[in-house]
Amino acid sequence: MNQYVRLGVNIDHVATLRNARGGSDPNLLQMALAVEEAGADGITVHLREDRRHVRDDDVWLLRDHLRTPMNLEMAATDEMVQIALKATPKACCIVPEHRTEVTTEGGLDVVNQISEIGAQIAKLSDCGIEVSLFIDPDTEQMQAAQEVGAPVVELHTGEYANAFTPEKRDLELKRLEEAAVFAQRLGLIVNAGHGLTKFNVAPIASIGGMHELNIGHSLVARALLVGLPEAVREFRLIMDRACR
Ligand code: PXP
């Protein structure tokens, strides 16, 4: 096996905690820098239409001070694309977004939005931003991702993470493994994320050719017990052991 899988840490829920009291505690930038220092390879934030966790000023501050690449998650709306074109993060992950959802539900339907998504990708790519599409491990969606010119796909691991039985979990893992092979044959870089925890991340990290995992909620939750740097180190260790 022996592969290095990048760990992208999604710090949205540090912002959620901050926003609960409307002040600046915990300080998002300070936490992001601590996450980097502990060994994360990148920082992810999802700028939502309703700004429920990170806000525009967070994006600018992180952009100016992060040492690792920033991955900006966002819907493919004109408003978000304009912000991304100004902020020029290293990468943008395009996700579906619905106002009433608690978190991103399901992957992006690229198949039925080829021209809209293709046009937004073209603008971002022209500006040097690496675009990934958050999609379910579905062959048609992967083909569509290639067709619209996305260099990267992030495979949605939610079904795997939420599987109630070992059989369902194995089935979802197989789907992800096959999807990764298929996507790589199409020339796509493969990332994955959503619902990953200390207990389910290893099999996903060991999928052949996996480039990056994006992990948020469970890592920030774990940090309440062991501290943010230690939570990052724990995930890093589990991923490294899985890839040996
Ligand atoms: N990747 C994408 C595209 C996401 O939308 C999210 C959730 O914001 C994550 C990864 C991280 O998911 P989680 O918070 O469940 O680890």
Side-chain angles (χ1 to χ4, degrees):
M1 164 59 41
N2 220 343
Q3 64 181 359
Y4 182 81
V5 180
R6 294 170 54 83
L7 171 60
V9 175
N10 179 318
I11 57 169
D12 287 345
H13 294 302
V14 173
T16 307
L17 183 59
R18 175 198 62 190
N19 298 352
R21 286 294 167 99
S24 59
D25 203 18
N27 183 292
L28 193 69
L29 177 60
Q30 188 184 13
M31 295 299 153
L33 296 176
V35 165
E36 290 183 325
E37 183 81 26
D41 300 290
I43 300 290
T44 295
V45 287
H46 183 174
L47 187 66
R48 281 182 169 269
E49 186 195 19
D50 63 7
R51 311 305 198 259
R52 73 172 73 153
H53 25 65
V54 300
R55 304 180 300 239
D56 301 53
D57 54 325
D58 293 321
V59 172
W60 295 107
L61 199 65
L62 292 168
R63 197 277 310 257
D64 289 343
H65 295 282
L66 289 182
R67 296 182 195 115
T68 61
M70 177 164 78
N71 174 30
L72 182 63
E73 264 184 39
M74 56 181 223
T77 60
D78 289 339
E79 182 202 10
M80 288 301 155
V81 170
Q82 283 314 312
I83 291 171
L85 293 177
K86 283 193 199 130
T88 61
K90 164 80 169 43
C92 273
C93 179
I94 299 184
V95 299
E97 200 175 296
H98 310 289
R99 257 179 220 193
T100 51
E101 70 190 0
V102 175
T103 181
T104 315
E105 289 166 2
L108 192 66
D109 183 2
V110 191
V111 172
N112 288 303
Q113 302 177 81
I114 294 273
S115 57
E116 299 89 327
I117 292 175
Q120 303 292 39
I121 292 178
K123 287 184 225 162
L124 295 164
S125 303
D126 282 353
C127 197
I129 299 169
E130 184 182 77
V131 181
S132 72
L133 301 181
F134 187 48
I135 57 171
D136 291 325
D138 174 287
T139 51
E140 283 185 17
Q141 295 296 346
M142 289 185 277
Q143 273 163 335
Q146 187 210 35
E147 197 182 320
V148 294
V152 185
V153 288
E154 180 167 327
L155 298 177
H156 196 314
T157 51
E159 289 287 328
Y160 161 81
N162 294 330
F164 275 116
T165 62
E167 293 76 21
K168 168 82 171 148
R169 182 178 168 277
D170 289 349
L171 201 75
E172 291 302 330
L173 178 59
K174 195 154 181 284
R175 257 183 96 199
L176 289 159
E177 286 167 346
E178 287 172 0
V181 170
F182 187 81
Q184 288 172 71
R185 279 205 197 117
L186 293 176
L188 297 164
I189 293 171
V190 177
N191 296 342
H194 204 88
L196 297 178
T197 70
K198 279 179 64 178
F199 306 104
N200 66 18
V201 70
I204 302 298
S206 62
I207 290 176
M210 183 58 68
H211 179 69
E212 178 175 288
L213 299 184
N214 281 301
I215 304 178
H217 184 266
S218 75
L219 192 152
V220 173
R222 177 74 181 154
L224 293 177
L225 196 62
V226 298
L228 201 44
E230 185 56 22
V232 173
R233 284 192 287 268
E234 286 180 353
F235 273 85
R236 182 70 268 163
L237 193 66
I238 294 167
M239 287 167 59
D240 287 344
R241 282 192 181 144
C243 295
R244 253 183 231 148

